[in-house]
mmCIF file of all heavy atoms in Angstrom:
data_model
loop_
_atom_site.group_PDB
_atom_site.id
_atom_site.type_symbol
_atom_site.label_atom_id
_atom_site.label_comp_id
_atom_site.label_asym_id
_atom_site.label_seq_id
_atom_site.Cartn_x
_atom_site.Cartn_y
_atom_site.Cartn_z
ATOM 1 N N ASP A 57 32.525 11.274 -32.709
ATOM 2 C CA ASP A 57 31.389 10.583 -32.107
ATOM 3 C C ASP A 57 31.176 11.164 -30.709
ATOM 4 O O ASP A 57 31.733 10.689 -29.726
ATOM 5 C CB ASP A 57 31.665 9.081 -32.035
ATOM 6 C CG ASP A 57 30.508 8.304 -31.405
ATOM 7 O OD1 ASP A 57 29.401 8.882 -31.305
ATOM 8 O OD2 ASP A 57 30.720 7.143 -30.995
ATOM 9 N N SER A 165 51.033 40.441 -38.213
ATOM 10 C CA SER A 165 51.773 39.753 -39.264
ATOM 11 C C SER A 165 53.122 40.415 -39.518
ATOM 12 O O SER A 165 53.249 41.631 -39.516
ATOM 13 C CB SER A 165 50.960 39.763 -40.559
ATOM 14 O OG SER A 165 49.754 39.075 -40.369
ATOM 15 N N ARG A 255 4.132 55.473 -32.170
ATOM 16 C CA ARG A 255 4.205 54.764 -33.452
ATOM 17 C C ARG A 255 4.211 53.270 -33.186
ATOM 18 O O ARG A 255 4.959 52.771 -32.360
ATOM 19 C CB ARG A 255 5.500 55.151 -34.182
ATOM 20 C CG ARG A 255 5.656 54.471 -35.545
ATOM 21 C CD ARG A 255 7.080 54.629 -36.045
ATOM 22 N NE ARG A 255 7.993 53.803 -35.272
ATOM 23 C CZ ARG A 255 9.323 53.919 -35.317
ATOM 24 N NH1 ARG A 255 9.863 54.836 -36.074
ATOM 25 N NH2 ARG A 255 10.083 53.132 -34.592
ATOM 26 N N ARG A 467 15.884 39.916 -4.613
ATOM 27 C CA ARG A 467 16.014 38.476 -4.391
ATOM 28 C C ARG A 467 17.466 37.998 -4.417
ATOM 29 O O ARG A 467 17.743 36.842 -4.092
ATOM 30 C CB ARG A 467 15.193 37.703 -5.416
ATOM 31 C CG ARG A 467 15.646 37.836 -6.853
ATOM 32 C CD ARG A 467 14.570 37.298 -7.787
ATOM 33 N NE ARG A 467 14.922 37.451 -9.181
ATOM 34 C CZ ARG A 467 15.524 36.515 -9.897
ATOM 35 N NH1 ARG A 467 15.856 35.367 -9.329
ATOM 36 N NH2 ARG A 467 15.810 36.715 -11.157
ATOM 37 N N LYS A 593 16.412 56.352 -12.247
ATOM 38 C CA LYS A 593 15.937 56.128 -10.908
ATOM 39 C C LYS A 593 17.011 56.481 -9.929
ATOM 40 O O LYS A 593 18.174 56.515 -10.249
ATOM 41 C CB LYS A 593 15.483 54.679 -10.720
ATOM 42 C CG LYS A 593 16.538 53.662 -11.027
ATOM 43 C CD LYS A 593 15.916 52.296 -10.927
ATOM 44 C CE LYS A 593 16.832 51.317 -11.454
ATOM 45 N NZ LYS A 593 17.510 50.383 -11.198
ATOM 46 N N LEU A 613 5.951 72.192 -35.965
ATOM 47 C CA LEU A 613 7.095 73.084 -35.904
ATOM 48 C C LEU A 613 6.758 74.440 -35.306
ATOM 49 O O LEU A 613 7.639 75.232 -35.003
ATOM 50 C CB LEU A 613 7.690 73.264 -37.308
ATOM 51 C CG LEU A 613 8.344 72.012 -37.883
ATOM 52 C CD1 LEU A 613 8.851 72.278 -39.279
ATOM 53 C CD2 LEU A 613 9.456 71.520 -36.994
#
Side-chain angles (χ1 to χ4, degrees):
D57 180 16
S165 298
R255 181 194 72 193
R467 65 193 178 94
K593 57 185 169 115
L613 292 178

